Amino acid sequence: MKRAAPLDTAFGRAAIQLTLVILLLAGWEGGVRAGWIQAFLVGSPVGIWGELVRDVSNGSLFYDTGITLYESIVGFVVGTFAGSLIGLGLWYSRFVARTVEPMIVAFNSVPKIAFAPIIILWFGTGLTSKIALAISLTAIVALIAAYQAAKEADPDLQSLLVTLGADKDQVFRKVIVPSALPGIIATFRINVGFGLVGAVVGEFISSQHGLGHLVFTASSLYDLNTVWLGLFTLMAIGFGLYFIIDLVERKSLPWKLDSVRQDLRV
Amino acid sequence: MALPAALPTLLPPPKLALRGIAKRFGATPVLDGLDFEIAEGDFVSIIGPSGCGKTTIFNIIAGLLEPDAGTLLYEGAPVDGLRGRVGYMMQKDLLLPWRTVLGNVVLGLEVRGMAPREARDKAMDYLATYGLAGFENSYPRALSGGMRQRVALIRTLIVDPDILLLDEPFSALDYQTRLYLEGVLMEAVERFHKTVVLVTHDIDEAVALSRKVVVLSHRPTRVKALHDIEIAERSPIGARSDPHFSGYFHALCSELDIQTKRVQP
Ligand SMILES: Nc1ncnc2c1ncn2[C@@H]1O[C@H](COP(=O)(O)OP(=O)(O)OP(=O)(O)O)[C@@H](O)[C@H]1O
Ligand SMILES: [Mg+2]
């Protein structure tokens, strides 16, 4: 048995992480005060704190955060759900799947962000266009992953169902969907990020509210403290969503974790 | 065997008959016209060299593959395959990893549309009978190889199929577990009067369990010999100690060209 480092505990790691962040912020603030760093170009922690207090007390930070969260979550949920469903559905017909596969690949190879201007044109400058953008980013990822996962379902398990007398729908429900589920759930982590990208980029292009709007307008005014406030808030949102997804993943696939969890040291 | 024309109408047709079944994969001929019959309530073992097409035969009987030529007769009538009528236990245990033991056992009942409550009760009965009570909520990955195989066997038996197709069901198990599961199988077969076809690599197992052994040749595969096994004792251990056992064993070994004597340099 190797002895673990004494700081390698949940508490120890948190203490180290906190110390590092504090050191970074202190160095930043100190650098600004000493004149080594130009506050005009990078802002300062104390200035960011001031913005935070102001935007929290007038409620605008919550409002902007709510807008962006709403756009990205709706986009993520609808896009991932619809994409997964279509991807799984392609399992039903090899003919259809093979026909559309190159089109999907072609569509996927365009940086989807490039569609942002037309999506704004079609869906207007309100929330709908941001949701549409988030959907277009997430749906394709989910579709490809779900289709791939469905294709890779063990043919022997499918045969087993057939010998038991199952029809195609039963094979789909009892083998294809459950065996594709881990692959589909794995896209949630990526797609949560893409949902946020869609919302924020949409807000950059044209919007009245949201964190993307906050960051974009502040940076055009060289208000770096507000820019950082927006970025840190986005970071916090991303972080929170990631944890929720992690929880969903562990709760929805008990058969993957259940029982013996080995502590393998390599 | 050509029977007099009048006779077949007097005898009941065999449960299952293969007539000239042939199959090739690409350029490789695998089955080269197979003929054999399985009577109702019979226990038939198929032995043959690895890769000679034993699994392929099962896939054809189960309706997963179509033969290139030949017919399959079920109770005298030609059929395409016995989808939904056979209990096919494949070479791998093929438990669904996302289902618990109980979920795996009820699979076949579920496919047949049995009410969940009824299916569950029946499954719990079977699990108790076969010594798996208390494991109904475990996932397959938490089970030992022998337990997994037992679950697969229960899943096959519970749907009460006409014919059991068992493809090397016990080959991955240690000798003790194998003897135990052979006993479980024999007991179930006698109790429910099942018709069984068993593929095995193990001549010992073939002699101990079956009443008839079909020996296959190398590819392209034909039936090389048919042996009736007349051993009164039906338990796996009892049969192995029967005085006739070693006679059958050596006969089948030489049929498969297995060298039982040391080769002289
Ligand atoms: N789907 C397939 N496509 C191409 N070749 C196949 C396919 N299935 C089986 N074969 C070939 O047919 C032959 C017979 O295969 P099969 O699995 O029936 O053998 P087997 O007698 O069950 O062998 P084993 O005893 O090792 O299980 C092998 O040479 C195999 O490579
Ligand atoms: Mg085989």
Side-chain angles (χ1 to χ4, degrees):
Chain A
M1 282 288 272
K2 254 196 284 182
R3 196 160 356 128
L7 280 172
D8 194 4
T9 60
F11 183 76
R13 286 190 298 268
I16 295 173
Q17 287 156 352
L18 199 65
T19 313
L20 287 175
V21 171
I22 289 172
L23 280 178
L24 185 77
L25 292 179
W28 182 358
E29 185 65 33
V32 169
R33 302 221 167 177
W36 301 328
I37 303 174
Q38 279 190 295
F40 171 65
L41 276 179
V42 295
S44 79
V46 170
I48 297 168
W49 177 256
E51 280 306 324
L52 174 69
V53 170
R54 203 180 56 135
D55 285 2
V56 165
S57 57
N58 70 19
S60 70
L61 186 64
F62 295 121
Y63 188 71
D64 285 328
T65 305
I67 295 283
T68 304
L69 254 185
Y70 173 76
E71 292 162 350
S72 62
I73 290 178
V74 173
F76 161 72
V77 171
V78 174
T80 307
F81 192 74
S84 304
L85 224 57
I86 298 169
L88 285 173
L90 285 178
W91 173 83
Y92 266 94
S93 168
R94 241 185 133 131
F95 169 67
V96 175
R98 285 191 174 174
T99 311
V100 300
E101 203 171 323
M103 301 179 196
I104 293 169
V105 172
F107 179 72
N108 190 39
S109 60
V110 181
K112 258 89 49 214
I113 283 302
F115 291 117
I118 15 170
I119 287 182
I120 305 275
L121 267 180
W122 289 343
F123 293 95
T125 56
L127 303 192
T128 322
S129 59
K130 284 65 173 184
I131 293 172
L133 194 54
I135 290 175
S136 76
L137 287 175
T138 52
I140 192 82
V141 172
L143 191 158
I144 291 173
Y147 173 55
Q148 199 61 33
K151 259 203 315 198
E152 280 163 12
D154 186 349
D156 288 338
L157 291 181
Q158 300 176 48
S159 296
L160 170 79
L161 265 279
V162 170
T163 66
L164 287 170
D167 57 27
K168 199 162 184 177
D169 287 332
Q170 287 175 318
V171 173
F172 182 72
R173 277 183 285 120
K174 294 180 201 297
V175 175
I176 304 301
V177 174
S179 58
L181 212 53
I184 290 172
I185 289 176
T187 65
F188 289 4
R189 289 167 188 271
I190 313 166
N191 268 348
V192 138
F194 276 151
L196 269 178
V197 170
V200 170
V201 170
E203 289 169 355
F204 279 178
I205 293 179
S206 113
S207 60
Q208 277 79 51
H209 303 284
L211 292 170
H213 176 77
L214 181 82
V215 168
F216 194 74
T217 47
S219 66
S220 62
L221 299 171
Y222 288 86
D223 178 3
L224 268 292
N225 291 333
T226 303
V227 170
W228 282 116
L229 177 62
L231 291 179
F232 283 135
T233 312
L234 281 169
M235 189 192 285
I237 292 180
F239 208 62
L241 290 177
Y242 189 87
F243 267 92
I244 294 172
I245 294 300
D246 202 59
L247 201 72
V248 168
E249 183 166 351
R250 268 181 292 151
K251 290 278 175 237
S252 56
L253 300 173
W255 56 276
K256 285 232 145 178
L257 298 150
D258 179 65
S259 75
V260 235
R261 212 167 336 153
Q262 288 171 331
D263 218 342
L264 181 66
R265 290 211 177 238
V266 184
Chain B
M1 266 180 292
L3 288 166
L7 254 177
T9 53
L10 301 175
L11 293 169
K15 188 80 179 165
L16 183 69
L18 279 72
R19 299 263 186 262
I21 296 288
K23 180 78 191 170
R24 57 168 62 233
F25 289 111
T28 329
V30 176
L31 303 180
D32 186 30
L34 285 186
D35 291 281
F36 60 88
E37 295 179 352
I38 293 146
E40 171 96 51
D42 218 352
F43 196 125
V44 178
S45 286
I46 299 178
I47 59 175
S50 184
C52 75
K54 302 181 292 294
T55 300
T56 306
I57 297 172
F58 274 7
N59 287 340
I60 289 171
I61 296 176
L64 296 173
L65 275 181
E66 255 182 69
D68 298 333
T71 41
L72 209 56
L73 299 174
Y74 180 73
E75 295 175 343
V79 287
D80 283 338
L82 298 176
R83 279 190 186 203
R85 269 186 289 189
V86 286
Y88 185 1
M89 197 169 155
M90 302 194 209
Q91 235 163 329
K92 296 186 273 174
D93 60 53
L94 294 183
L95 298 181
L96 306 183
W98 53 84
R99 284 185 176 229
T100 59
V101 166
L102 182 65
N104 271 287
V105 170
V106 298
L107 186 64
L109 302 175
E110 222 177 270
V111 165
R112 273 150 219 228
M114 187 185 272
R117 169 76 48 89
E118 197 186 335
R120 198 195 128 87
D121 290 346
K122 189 166 180 190
M124 293 303 277
D125 265 2
Y126 270 73
L127 287 170
T129 308
Y130 295 104
L132 284 169
F135 288 98
E136 60 271 13
N137 294 322
S138 305
Y139 286 99
R141 51 175 280 181
L143 304 181
S144 71
M147 287 161 85
R148 294 171 61 102
Q149 217 59 24
R150 227 183 310 168
V151 175
L153 184 59
I154 297 173
R155 176 179 64 191
T156 313
L157 290 173
I158 200 170
V159 292
D160 195 25
D162 268 354
I163 301 180
L164 290 173
L165 303 177
L166 309 175
D167 194 353
E168 299 187 37
F170 311 131
S171 62
L173 305 175
D174 62 89
Y175 201 69
Q176 252 177 301
T177 313
R178 166 194 296 226
L179 279 180
Y180 168 70
L181 282 181
E182 284 175 5
V184 169
L185 171 68
M186 289 315 285
E187 212 253 341
V189 167
E190 311 262 282
R191 172 143 46 122
F192 302 114
H193 307 291
K194 290 288 169 222
T195 306
V196 186
V197 192
L198 172 78
V199 161
T200 179
H201 269 134
D202 194 339
I203 296 168
D204 177 281
E205 184 170 87
V207 177
L209 302 184
S210 36
R211 290 179 214 266
K212 196 162 125 187
V213 178
V214 178
V215 185
L216 299 179
S217 67
H218 280 283
R219 265 192 337 243
T221 306
R222 293 175 150 273
V223 175
K224 192 172 177 187
L226 291 169
H227 285 264
D228 289 315
I229 308 287
E230 276 150 26
I231 291 180
E233 180 62 61
R234 304 295 298 159
S235 79
I237 297 174
R240 282 173 169 92
S241 23
D242 189 280
H244 301 296
F245 182 86
S246 74
Y248 288 122
F249 183 84
H250 287 290
L252 290 173
C253 279
S254 59
E255 209 83 71
L256 281 177
D257 304 323
I258 296 173
Q259 291 289 342
T260 46
K261 291 205 191 84
R262 190 184 284 250
V263 182
Q264 297 299 320

